Amino acid sequence: MTGLGANLPQDALYPTVFGMADENGTPRRFTITFPAGQLPPVDAFWSITAYDGDSFFVPNPANIYAVGHGIPPVPGPDGSVVFAIQSADPGPAVPQGNWLPIPASGKFSLTLRLYAPKPPAIDGTWQPPALTPVG
């Protein structure tokens, strides 16, 4: 069982996606893109957190464990917000709040946390964007 004693949907939602961080030993890169004006609809706050295959935070030298809250993500020129989901630091081309480290290999998961979600998130008319492989 997961989420035993969890919050009601009106209080919090936790959509989760599972993936493989490598392909035959080569680290993979992903993005998550929120179109302009389509950040998670919440009355409190939201974040995306990365976990390794054992459901622990992903150790990384930058000490980044979640995005979306704390350091605000930076939208691109078209207003969309693109998150780089990868083990290696993407460098200065990616704003500080737009990179979420994952393991270099093995299984991982991402959990989107929506606190005080608005009705479109609760009733499913708003859906989180997909985890998209790069390259």
Side-chain angles (χ1 to χ4, degrees):
M1 298 181 97
T2 61
L4 189 60
N7 293 321
L8 297 172
Q10 300 87 335
D11 297 329
L13 296 173
Y14 307 107
T16 301
V17 64
F18 298 88
M20 285 298 295
D22 68 301
E23 188 170 324
N24 299 320
T26 301
R28 298 175 70 195
R29 297 181 303 137
F30 302 89
T31 59
I32 295 176
T33 302
F34 290 90
Q38 294 295 310
L39 289 175
V42 296
D43 281 325
F45 71 93
W46 63 272
S47 67
I48 304 171
T49 306
Y51 299 95
D52 66 17
D54 293 320
S55 299
F56 292 105
F57 288 138
V58 176
N60 65 87
N63 291 319
I64 299 170
Y65 302 101
V67 292
H69 185 73
I71 299 173
V74 178
D78 66 353
S80 67
V81 174
V82 179
F83 290 100
I85 312 295
Q86 60 189 56
S87 62
D89 185 331
V94 174
Q96 183 180 10
N98 293 45
W99 170 45
L100 182 59
I102 59 172
S105 63
K107 296 178 182 180
F108 74 97
S109 65
L110 302 175
T111 298
L112 174 61
R113 300 175 187 285
L114 295 92
Y115 293 100
K118 292 182 178 180
I122 296 169
D123 68 22
T125 54
W126 177 87
Q127 292 288 310
L131 178 65
T132 306
V134 174

